[in-house]
């Protein structure tokens, strides 16, 4: 049986700079794969080339549920159920929170009117986004609730593969605990997740496997416990022992 | 000044403001969604007016005017929609998009004006008004056609506001205008949404053009003046909200009317441009604006 999601020899260059270099990864359905690496190691670039927004890969293959998707349009990829969140709070700032959720449902799932509103309520319920914020302009929310709104919007699109890019950045400890719980909850609902995160307790706490990148290349991939003890990984994060 | 004169100037200014609002909102929609200034907007006004004039030649009378206005609005929506793929879309990833859009929209403006001249000739024309006669209002005689222009402009603006806030396409346009990348990740067809934005701008310009053509004479290059006024309105009011250029349009319409009365026809534009420069110095984001561009 074909894997749920696979990338084969994926590369992306910007002139002479290789942002991703021959990266391969197989992800099973229902898995959470954590992605770690220093800044500039190619983590967000990987999400960019999977979604083709703002750019696709230079070479290599992306296979989703048995079909190659790297040649499809960014719109087609988005509508297949591959949903991404950003490390910064990306909401439509002057629109109300419920309009943020509704517009995603309308464009991705094609639902309208009462059906779309029902889906928005369901997503808010799953994530725990307070409904009394629904009519508040998104820009007026504190950062934590903007993150909640972004994840609610992602969930409302009924993702099959969720690409979470540093969901815990800028959050305090209790809020990171909430991110931990919500990732576990989404995964228990059958959503496969790729998670980029610098908060290592969160990354290692929710992931079944870890992929570690450095300068666009894979330096480790495997079960969490194995990877965090891998001397190559320790050196990449902490430097070479004197 | 006699009270009836004051009322007459005030109402004239409000009517002018309604038409400026219609044109300025079209400019603002393009500015906030496509992030470019559309120098073809004046030519949209002119082409819309000429299409309306042409239709009234086949269908005279009040019903003909209604039909002509509708036909011009729909025709210009299609023109605007298609022009997006020629004027803006090919250059949208270019770092010089703003400059390129200035060039392409100016070129389109020139082509449209020349086409109008070739098709309809250089002689001035006037569209037969839908209604005639005057109302007595606090002692001042107000033209029925002026009032109709104001009512239709306000209705069109209300309809556009409802479209942007209550329909899924309008919501998607606002979202894509605020964060294109996030919108693309949600599967929005941004190219179509942006084409709709230019289509709406052209349609509102055509509606304004049809009414201007029924209030004064039109010629192939008459759109240049409304374009400048709409530019002043957008800068004066800012584009932070849908309503910002509308408030500005009414204020400037009234100021222009009183300037014409007190200073004369030739000084009135100078007053508006002086105000625009003052606003740019004191509050560059516009009187009703903040630093964020939204729709």
């Amino acid at each position: 049986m074909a894997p749920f999601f696979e990338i084969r020899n994926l590369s992306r260059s910007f002139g002479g700079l290789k942002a991703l270099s021959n990266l391969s990864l197989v992800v099973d359905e229902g898995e959470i794969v954590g992605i770690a690496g220093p800044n500039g190691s190619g983590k967000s670039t990987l999400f960019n080339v999977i979604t083709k927004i703002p750019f696709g890969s230079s070479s290599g293959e992306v296979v989703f549920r048995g079909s190659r998707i790297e040649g499809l349009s960014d719109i087609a990829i988005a509508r297949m159920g591959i949903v991404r969140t950003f490390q910064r709070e990306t909401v439509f700032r002057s629109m109300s929170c419920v309009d943020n959720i509704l517009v995603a449902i309308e464009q991705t799932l094609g639902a309208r009117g009462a059906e779309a509103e029902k889906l928005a309520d369901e997503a808010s319920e799953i994530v725990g986004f307070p409904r009394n914020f629904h009519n508040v302009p998104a820009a007026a929310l504190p950062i934590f609730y903007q993150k909640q709104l972004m994840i609610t919007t992602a969930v409302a699109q009924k993702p099959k593969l969720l690409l979470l890019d540093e969901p815990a950045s800028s959050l305090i400890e209790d809020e990171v605990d909430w991110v931990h719980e919500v990732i576990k909850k989404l995964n228990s609902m059958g959503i496969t997740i790729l998670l980029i995160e610098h908060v290592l307790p969160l990354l290692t706490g929710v992931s079944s496997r870890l992929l570690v990148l450095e300068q666009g290349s894979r330096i480790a991939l495997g079960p969490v416990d194995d990877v965090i003890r891998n001397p190559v990984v320790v050196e990449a994060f902490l430097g070479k022992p004197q | 000044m006699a009270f009836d004169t004051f009322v007459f100037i005030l109402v004239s200014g409000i009517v002018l403001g309604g038409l400026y609002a219609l044109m300025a909102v079209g400019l603002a929609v393009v500015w906030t969604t496509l992030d470019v200034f559309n120098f073809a907007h004046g030519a949209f006004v002119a082409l819309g007016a000429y299409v309306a004039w042409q239709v009234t030649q086949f269908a005279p009378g009040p019903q003909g005017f209604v039909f002509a206005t509708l036909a011009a609005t729909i025709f210009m929506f299609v023109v605007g929609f298609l022009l997006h793929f020629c004027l803006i879309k090919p250059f949208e990833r270019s770092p010089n998009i703003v400059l390129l859009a200035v060039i392409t929209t100016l070129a389109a403006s020139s082509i449209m004006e020349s086409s109008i001249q070739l098709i309809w000739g250089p002689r001035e024309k006037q569209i037969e008004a839908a209604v005639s006669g005057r109302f007595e209002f606090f002692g001042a005689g107000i033209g029925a056609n002026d009032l109709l222009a104001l009512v239709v402009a306000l209705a069109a603006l209300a309809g556009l506001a409802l479209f942007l806030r209550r329909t899924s396409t309008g919501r998607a346009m606002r979202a894509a205008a605020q964060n294109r990348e996030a919108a693309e990740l949600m599967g929005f067809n941004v190219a179509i949404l942006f084409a709709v934005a230019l289509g709406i701008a052209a349609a509102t310009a055509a509606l304004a053009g049809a009414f201007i053509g029924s209030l004064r004479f039109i010629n192939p290059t008459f759109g240049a003046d409304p374009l400048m006024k709409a530019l002043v309105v957008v800068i004066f009011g800012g584009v932070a909200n849908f309503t910002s250029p509308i408030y500005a349009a009414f204020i400037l319409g009234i100021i222009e009317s009183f300037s014409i009365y007190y200073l004369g026809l030739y000084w009135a534009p100078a007053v508006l441009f002086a105000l625009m420069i003052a606003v740019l110095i004191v509050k560059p984001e516009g009187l009703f604006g903040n630093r964020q561009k939204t729709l």
Side-chain angles (χ1 to χ4, degrees):
Chain A
M1 198 174 95
F4 179 75
F5 179 74
E6 184 177 7
I7 52 178
R8 299 176 190 144
N9 302 316
L10 207 59
S11 295
R12 171 71 206 193
S13 302
F14 299 97
L17 175 73
K18 280 207 154 189
L20 277 183
S21 185
N22 284 321
L23 187 66
S24 295
L25 172 71
V26 174
V27 180
D28 292 326
E29 189 164 14
E31 212 182 357
I32 302 178
V33 176
I35 302 172
N39 285 331
S41 59
K43 304 185 298 296
S44 293
T45 303
L46 174 61
F47 281 7
N48 290 343
V49 297
I50 291 171
T51 57
K52 292 184 81 173
I53 296 169
F55 47 74
S57 59
S58 305
S59 62
E61 297 174 4
V62 182
V63 183
F64 180 56
R65 303 171 96 188
S67 304
R68 283 181 59 179
I69 62 168
E70 78 277 0
L72 300 179
S73 71
D74 50 4
I75 297 172
I77 292 170
R79 291 182 180 176
M80 292 177 90
I82 298 178
V83 176
R84 176 189 182 171
T85 67
F86 285 92
Q87 58 194 77
R88 61 183 190 279
E89 302 73 47
T90 304
V91 289
F92 303 122
R93 294 178 62 79
S94 84
M95 291 167 65
S96 69
C97 293
V98 73
D99 274 355
N100 266 269
I101 307 169
L102 283 175
V103 77
I105 293 169
E106 287 166 347
Q107 296 299 313
T108 315
L109 306 177
R112 295 282 187 277
E115 189 194 351
E117 284 169 19
K118 184 167 165 272
L119 290 169
D121 281 345
E122 280 174 12
S124 302
E125 185 78 37
I126 290 167
V127 177
F129 181 69
R131 280 188 214 185
N132 53 337
F133 285 165
H134 270 195
N135 292 317
V136 175
L141 293 178
I143 285 177
F144 173 62
Y145 289 107
Q146 288 195 25
K147 293 256 187 199
Q148 274 202 347
L149 175 60
M150 186 164 55
I151 294 175
T152 305
T153 303
V155 170
Q157 296 170 69
K158 298 202 174 295
K160 295 180 178 69
L161 175 64
L162 184 56
L163 312 177
L164 293 173
D165 195 346
E166 295 191 41
S169 69
S170 315
L171 299 186
I172 60 171
E173 198 175 334
D174 287 351
E175 294 166 347
V176 173
D177 290 344
W178 173 85
V179 176
H180 186 288
E181 290 308 311
V182 86
I183 289 174
K184 282 295 202 187
K185 186 175 183 181
L186 297 180
N187 185 237
S188 72
M189 293 165 58
I191 300 173
T192 307
I193 296 171
L194 293 184
L195 170 66
I196 295 173
E197 189 50 72
H198 282 295
V199 180
L200 289 180
L202 171 64
L203 186 71
T204 54
V206 297
S207 304
S208 49
R209 286 190 299 148
L210 278 186
L211 165 70
V212 184
L213 300 178
E214 191 183 25
Q215 294 181 348
S217 298
R218 187 176 91 183
I219 58 168
L221 173 67
V224 173
D225 287 344
D226 294 353
V227 169
I228 59 175
R229 289 188 181 86
N230 185 327
V232 178
V233 173
V234 173
E235 189 183 318
F237 275 87
L238 300 177
K240 206 167 187 169
Q242 297 300 308
Chain B
M1 183 196 298
F3 184 68
D4 58 343
T5 309
F6 174 81
V7 171
F8 179 78
I9 296 170
L10 187 65
V11 174
S12 300
I14 291 171
V15 171
L16 211 52
L19 292 173
Y20 287 170
L22 209 49
M23 292 181 291
V25 161
L27 262 190
V29 164
V30 172
W31 175 243
T32 48
T33 48
L34 281 73
D35 236 357
V36 297
F37 188 83
N38 174 25
F39 280 94
H41 203 65
F44 286 168
V45 174
L47 186 55
Y50 271 86
V51 171
W53 177 85
Q54 185 64 63
V55 175
T56 58
Q57 301 309 296
F58 300 118
Q63 286 172 339
F65 182 83
V66 173
F67 184 61
T69 308
L70 275 175
T73 306
I74 294 166
F75 176 79
M76 287 308 296
F77 175 85
V78 175
V79 168
F81 184 92
L82 295 176
L83 278 180
H84 171 253
F85 295 97
C86 310
L87 305 183
I88 314 289
K89 178 99 177 55
F91 315 105
E92 63 184 0
R93 300 284 181 197
S94 164
N96 299 323
I97 171 71
V98 174
L99 178 64
L100 287 167
V102 169
I103 295 164
T104 57
T105 55
L106 271 175
S109 174
S110 177
I111 291 168
M112 277 190 273
E113 286 174 1
S114 299
S115 303
I116 291 170
Q117 184 135 339
L118 278 171
I119 297 168
W120 287 286
R123 291 183 66 178
E124 294 201 319
K125 301 185 187 321
Q126 189 168 26
I127 299 169
E128 188 187 347
V131 288
S132 55
R134 300 183 88 74
F135 288 103
E136 195 74 15
F137 186 69
F138 286 101
I142 308 298
N145 195 37
D146 293 50
L147 283 184
L148 179 68
L150 178 63
V151 169
V152 171
L154 290 176
L157 291 169
L160 183 55
L162 278 176
F163 166 78
L164 289 170
R165 292 184 189 283
R166 299 273 177 236
T167 68
S168 58
T169 307
R171 244 195 303 267
M173 273 178 60
R174 291 168 58 214
Q178 289 175 39
N179 193 331
R180 179 184 178 144
E181 207 169 75
E184 285 175 332
L185 277 166
M186 291 176 189
F188 289 38
N189 196 332
V190 174
I192 296 291
L193 291 171
F194 283 5
V196 170
L198 199 58
I200 287 172
T204 54
L207 188 58
F211 273 100
I212 292 171
S214 71
L215 294 168
R216 59 181 75 157
F217 287 102
I218 58 173
N219 62 52
T221 57
F222 91 97
D225 182 56
L227 170 70
M228 282 301 124
K229 298 289 168 55
L231 168 66
V232 174
V233 167
V234 167
I235 291 171
F236 189 82
V239 288
N241 295 303
F242 179 78
T243 48
S244 305
I246 299 175
Y247 297 142
F250 283 106
I251 292 171
L252 287 175
I254 292 167
I255 290 173
E256 186 177 355
S257 279
F258 279 96
S259 302
I260 290 170
Y261 180 80
Y262 282 110
L263 303 172
L265 190 63
Y266 292 105
W267 276 104
V271 170
L272 296 187
F273 278 101
L275 275 173
M276 183 186 83
I277 292 167
V279 168
L280 278 174
I281 293 168
V282 178
K283 202 165 183 296
E285 63 273 24
L287 278 192
F288 310 105
N290 52 37
R291 293 189 189 281
Q292 192 190 356
K293 290 203 312 277
T294 59
L295 190 62

